[in-house]
Amino acid sequence: MVTGSTSGIGLAIARALAAEGANVVINGFGEAGEIESLRADIETRFGVRAHHSPADMTRPDQITAMIAEARDAFGGVDILVNNAGVQFVARIEDFPAEKWDQIIAINLSAAFHAMRAAVPGMKAAAWGRIISTASAHSLVASPFKSAYVAAKHGIAGLTKTVALELAAHGVTVNCISPGYVWTPLVENQIPATMAARGFTRDQVINDVLLAAQPTKQFVTPEEVAAFVVYLTSDAAKQITGANLSMDGGWTAA
Ligand code: NAD
């Protein structure tokens, strides 16, 4: 189960897990025909079953139902990837309260609700992998991203807590903290960052986004997906409760 997987990092994770032979539930929004071709492509390309759940990550009831549907379709959720996330960029005094609520719901509370629903099955199977897409913003802040930074710091704390609860049950719980990954989420925040800082598009890319990454390169969705696949392997069974940076050196500074 990969939340927020009709685009960007989540889609790359769903494809990489399918390439390893996992049946996948993809989730997220988009145009119905496009989602159906993404879903069908996963089935034909990787020879697995793929199901799409339109569950809205702001809705706890829909998240719980999505986990139950996955269990009915595939017999259980062995791997849960909490990936759905949105961004909004504004000064704290202008930050719309409803944007705060939406970001906390999608980027933080949805992971709680999904874990809460999936953990009993993992415990019963004595095996499971929970991986959340956090962010370098789970470790450090940037101005104008109060809700996002608060939610991602929250994911890091939730990860540690649930990892301790499940350590003796064969279930590992980790988060990956990428720096900037070139996806629609990053592309879409460029106009607001231009407005907030009075910068051009190139200045935002070079002086704001890549300024933070010593490698001067964006992380790719496929690199994050390969890390997820590794964390699901037996070789990674002693990695739990970790917040794993993948940020071109950003948070080393
Ligand atoms: P994206 O915009 O490409 O994809 C977001 C996905 O979430 C889409 O499938 C979208 O439909 C889905 N989604 C949005 N709102 C939803 C809702 N209410 N219910 C269900 N699904 C919903 O974004 P991305 O860059 O691939 O980001 C994925 C995750 O990676 C996010 O948690 C993001 O915070 C994190 N992240 C991204 C970057 C980056 O630079 N792109 C860096 C660090 C962390």
Side-chain angles (χ1 to χ4, degrees), residues 8-98:
I9 297 169
L11 180 57
I13 293 171
R15 285 178 173 148
L17 290 172
E20 295 296 315
N23 293 326
V24 291
V25 178
I26 59 169
N27 155 259
F29 300 152
E31 200 268 309
E34 254 170 56
I35 292 176
E36 174 49 25
S37 38
L38 293 176
R39 191 203 64 76
D41 173 70
I42 290 174
E43 288 198 335
T44 48
R45 201 150 29 125
F46 304 113
V48 298
R49 288 170 61 204
H51 173 82
H52 172 250
S53 163
D56 181 342
M57 293 299 109
T58 65
R59 296 277 307 273
D61 55 332
Q62 294 188 15
I63 297 168
T64 309
M66 172 184 76
I67 299 286
E69 256 174 55
R71 203 176 295 132
D72 292 347
F74 298 142
V77 176
D78 306 308
I79 300 166
L80 168 66
V81 182
N82 297 300
N83 171 78
V86 292
Q87 176 62 285
F88 192 82
V89 179
R91 294 182 190 86
I92 184 73
E93 64 271 33
D94 301 327
F95 212 95
E98 61 275 16

Side-chain angles (χ1 to χ4, degrees), residues 2-13 27-30 35 52-59 62-63 66 82-87 102 105-107 110 132-137 148 152 155 176-189 209 213 218-219 221 224 246 250:
V2 186
T3 71
S5 48
T6 52
S7 167
I9 297 169
L11 180 57
I13 293 171
N27 155 259
F29 300 152
I35 292 176
H52 172 250
S53 163
D56 181 342
M57 293 299 109
T58 65
R59 296 277 307 273
Q62 294 188 15
I63 297 168
M66 172 184 76
N82 297 300
N83 171 78
V86 292
Q87 176 62 285
Q102 183 203 31
I106 298 170
N107 296 18
S132 301
T133 312
S135 165
H137 284 125
Y148 188 89
K152 294 300 185 182
I155 282 285
I176 297 178
S177 284
Y180 283 103
V181 187
W182 189 256
T183 69
L185 181 141
V186 164
E187 211 170 349
N188 293 341
Q189 70 185 271
L209 304 181
Q213 280 179 206
F218 286 99
V219 181
V224 180
M246 194 172 195
W250 173 351

Side-chain angles (χ1 to χ4, degrees), residues 80-83 107-116 119 122 128-135 138-139 150-168 171-178 231 238-245:
L80 168 66
V81 182
N82 297 300
N83 171 78
N107 296 18
L108 176 57
S109 301
F112 160 76
H113 294 295
M115 288 184 194
R116 186 172 177 274
V119 157
M122 291 181 179
R129 294 287 188 265
I130 300 174
I131 299 153
S132 301
T133 312
S135 165
S138 72
L139 294 162
K152 294 300 185 182
H153 276 65
I155 282 285
L158 177 65
T159 297
K160 291 182 197 173
T161 307
V162 183
L164 293 178
E165 291 183 29
L166 298 178
V171 181
T172 68
V173 189
N174 294 290
C175 58
I176 297 178
S177 284
L231 289 174
Q238 293 304 324
I239 302 177
T240 194
N243 183 353
L244 301 155
S245 288

